[in-house]
């Protein structure tokens, strides 16, 4: 329950003895450790996919607007600078690939359930390890792809503007763009390594 503070009638403080039941929320540590590992895994999958798409869209917005603007004065740059848009789109593809991989790890339990709840001998350590691992894997890929998408977008924008002024600069800036796109590949490699040991138990013996 809430009780008025003696300092001010408008300030309330929480009584430490208010909640004593079995499902008392003792704090954020209890909230985070009591969430289902399937929930953690699903959030990791969602973060990995959605952040990758955000990174790709952000990069396409940056490079596409500059490409269209510069093509007004130099129409010759329209075709070859589309490669910058393709590099941005690749970050979204990395997120889709990782989402498929992570979704394959989350298997429906076939045993160890009685009356809608897991039995006492359920492998809880592997269960939570898999949930946290899939979450961190998806988050790693998603955040990496946001950075990669923005980097590719800015480099692609510069590439289009530079190419409009001097066509000899296209290949030079394209190399920078390739390295920016490689950041997403690093993220998906680390994400796959993280998820390799995450196996959701599907029965008491597994």
């Amino acid at each position: 329950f809430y009780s008025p503070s003696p300092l001010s009638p408008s300030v309330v403080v929480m009584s430490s003895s208010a909640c004593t039941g079995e499902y008392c929320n003792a704090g954020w540590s209890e909230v985070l450790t009591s969430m289902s590992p399937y929930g953690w895994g699903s959030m990791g999958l969602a973060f990995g996919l959605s952040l990758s798409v955000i990174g790709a869209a952000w990069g396409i917005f940056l490079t596409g607007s500059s490409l269209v603007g510069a093509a007004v004065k130099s129409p010759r740059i329209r075709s070859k600078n589309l490669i910058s848009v393709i590099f941005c789109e690749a970050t979204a593809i990395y997120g889709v690939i990782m989402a498929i991989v992570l979704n394959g790890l989350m298997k429906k339990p076939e045993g160890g359930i009685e009356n809608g709840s897991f039995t006492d001998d359920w492998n809880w350590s592997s269960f939570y390890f898999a949930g946290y691992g899939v979450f961190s894997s998806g988050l790693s890929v998603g955040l990496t792809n946001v950075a990669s998408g923005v980097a590719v977008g800015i480099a692609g924008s510069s590439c289009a503007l530079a190419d409009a002024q001097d066509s000899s600069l296209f290949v030079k800036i394209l190399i920078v763009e390739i390295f920016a796109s490689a950041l997403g590949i690093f993220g998906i490699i680390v994400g796959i390594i993280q998820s390799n040991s995450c196996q959701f138990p599907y029965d008491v013996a597994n």
Side-chain angles (χ1 to χ4, degrees):
F1 63 93
Y2 289 87
S3 60
S5 169
L7 301 176
S8 171
S10 62
V11 179
V12 294
V13 294
M14 182 178 290
S15 172
S16 59
S17 60
C19 185
T20 56
E22 180 182 358
Y23 299 105
C24 172
N25 178 15
W28 280 108
S29 60
E30 183 177 345
V31 173
L32 298 177
T33 54
S34 298
M35 289 176 61
S36 169
Y38 288 115
W40 283 110
S42 298
M43 284 193 297
L45 191 153
F47 276 127
L49 180 59
S50 60
L51 291 176
S52 298
V53 172
I54 289 173
W58 200 343
I60 292 173
F61 163 73
L62 292 172
T63 191
S65 56
S66 297
L67 173 58
V68 172
V72 173
K73 288 293 184 181
S74 300
R76 62 178 175 78
I77 72 170
R78 287 177 299 181
S79 299
K80 62 180 178 180
N81 276 275
L82 286 177
I83 192 171
S84 301
V85 178
I86 296 173
F87 280 140
C88 292
E89 188 67 25
T91 60
I93 295 174
Y94 299 153
V96 171
I97 294 172
M98 200 63 209
I100 294 173
V101 171
L102 297 181
N103 187 61
L105 297 175
M106 295 188 290
K107 299 179 181 178
K108 180 181 179 181
E110 299 176 356
I113 299 177
E114 292 181 1
N115 300 322
S117 301
F118 291 108
T119 56
D120 293 335
D121 54 351
W122 183 257
N123 192 350
W124 291 104
S125 351
S126 295
F127 198 32
Y128 273 95
F129 178 83
Y132 293 147
V134 170
F135 174 77
S136 62
S137 175
L139 194 60
S140 299
V141 173
L143 292 176
T144 306
N145 282 334
V146 168
S148 176
V150 173
V152 172
I154 294 174
S157 173
S158 303
C159 185
L161 297 175
D163 187 24
Q165 295 293 324
D166 185 356
S167 59
S168 64
L169 296 174
F170 174 76
V171 176
K172 298 179 178 65
I173 302 180
L174 186 64
I175 295 174
V176 177
E177 204 170 337
I178 292 173
F179 281 110
S181 179
L183 298 175
I185 299 176
F186 300 154
I188 197 171
I189 290 173
V190 172
I192 291 174
I193 293 173
Q194 283 180 297
S195 64
N196 274 344
S197 56
C198 301
Q199 295 294 332
F200 282 83
Y202 56 89
D203 205 343
V204 174
N206 294 281

